[in-house]
Amino acid sequence: MKSKKFIVTGILNNENSFSCKGYEDDNEILNVTSSRDTDSYELKLGTEFLMQYLENKTNDVELILEHNIVTSGEIPVLYCYPKSDKPLPVVIFAHGMFGDKIIDLHRGIVLAQEGFFVVLADARFHGERIVENYSQYFYENDKVVNCKKFLEVIKGTSEDISKVIDNLKDDRRVDLNRIGMSGISMGGYVTFLTLANDDRIKVAAPMLSSPDWVFNTEKIEQDKYDEELKEIIKINNPINNYKRIASIPLLIQNAIDDPTISINGVRQLIQTINKDHSEIEQKYSLIEYPNIGHEVPDIMIDRIIQWFKKYL
């Protein structure tokens, strides 16, 4: 499938508003407007709409936004990147449960403005790959069945991310020796798993997630696990490969009182690293946020940008 490329130009109009328009030939196909007074913006890409808040600190910027299908796996992706005469470092940004590649595009735009080639991909069964009876598929009455489906989505999406990287190997726009990855919630789980299995990831910054799948199942008594779930966790649990995870610059950001994802998994990882790899303390950081739930304040995004700029 031939990719579609859009030129994106953004202008910071004043202290309270931002506008961004994209064009394919002479047809406007992307429109982003932001007002900090209303804390919302509308993003239009074809028939996709999203209301979110766009925090943007730059003035004039010109980016290229490209929609593509990675044929190995039929994975829909968005590439967002600035024009450049030299290969750019790559940042892969993985979305959360029930999201898609569009939902984090405003964050991708900000990262691209900082000089990164940003990759946004639809997770398995999400976005353009959505399954029939979407909500019911992930919320059956059996918690163990739901958990297995969630973990299989993480595993499959992580495999897809590696295919996306494979697809870029001959792309002169990117420097595949400088690949970073981030993600929110389920996207953070995908980040941890990809980091554990694919040594092409050089820097990582997962948010609101866990490297330990056992802590993902805290609401399920372990004596209720069936053999299949036990095997999935045993074979794939990222924390089992903590030495690989600890080998690169790693920024972790979690909420202390997150009602969706326990902070215990990341704490366990840091305790293990501190015990066995104290000499690399300067390369990793766990930031715990009080007084927020399962949400991403702007400071989290600011910190991952600085992390990638420092280490990627």
Side-chain angles (χ1 to χ4, degrees), residues 112-147:
Q113 289 165 346
E114 297 293 337
F116 298 106
F117 186 99
V118 180
V119 178
L120 303 153
D122 282 334
R124 294 277 179 99
F125 309 132
H126 290 70
E128 295 179 54
R129 316 167 82 186
I130 196 168
V131 293
E132 190 175 357
N133 299 319
Y134 182 61
S135 297
Q136 292 83 352
Y137 179 83
F138 291 104
Y139 285 108
E140 296 186 13
N141 292 327
D142 190 324
K143 291 182 179 179
V144 171
V145 171
N146 292 335
C147 183

Side-chain angles (χ1 to χ4, degrees), residues 274-293:
N274 284 339
K275 179 180 178 181
D276 295 346
H277 294 275
S278 59
E279 73 280 2
I280 62 168
E281 182 175 359
Q282 73 278 6
K283 286 191 177 182
Y284 66 88
S285 176
L286 168 60
I287 301 176
E288 299 186 0
Y289 292 81
N291 306 318
I292 66 168

Side-chain angles (χ1 to χ4, degrees), residues 39-53:
D39 285 357
S40 66
Y41 80 94
E42 178 179 296
L43 185 150
K44 180 179 180 181
L45 179 59
T47 58
E48 299 280 356
F49 290 87
L50 173 67
M51 297 300 295
Q52 281 273 359
Y53 175 61

Side-chain angles (χ1 to χ4, degrees), residues 17-47:
S17 64
F18 173 86
S19 65
C20 176
K21 293 183 181 293
Y23 299 89
E24 181 183 22
D25 298 326
D26 294 326
N27 300 314
E28 181 182 318
I29 49 76
L30 175 72
N31 183 33
V32 179
T33 58
S34 167
S35 171
R36 294 175 185 168
D37 294 330
T38 59
D39 285 357
S40 66
Y41 80 94
E42 178 179 296
L43 185 150
K44 180 179 180 181
L45 179 59
T47 58

Side-chain angles (χ1 to χ4, degrees), residues 73-76 95-100 121-135 137-138 148-157 160 186:
E74 297 300 313
I75 307 159
H95 67 77
M97 191 76 168
F98 301 122
D100 58 22
D122 282 334
R124 294 277 179 99
F125 309 132
H126 290 70
E128 295 179 54
R129 316 167 82 186
I130 196 168
V131 293
E132 190 175 357
N133 299 319
Y134 182 61
S135 297
Y137 179 83
F138 291 104
K148 285 190 286 188
K149 287 181 176 179
F150 178 70
L151 296 180
E152 287 294 345
V153 168
I154 294 169
K155 181 176 180 293
T157 303
D160 290 344
M186 183 183 79

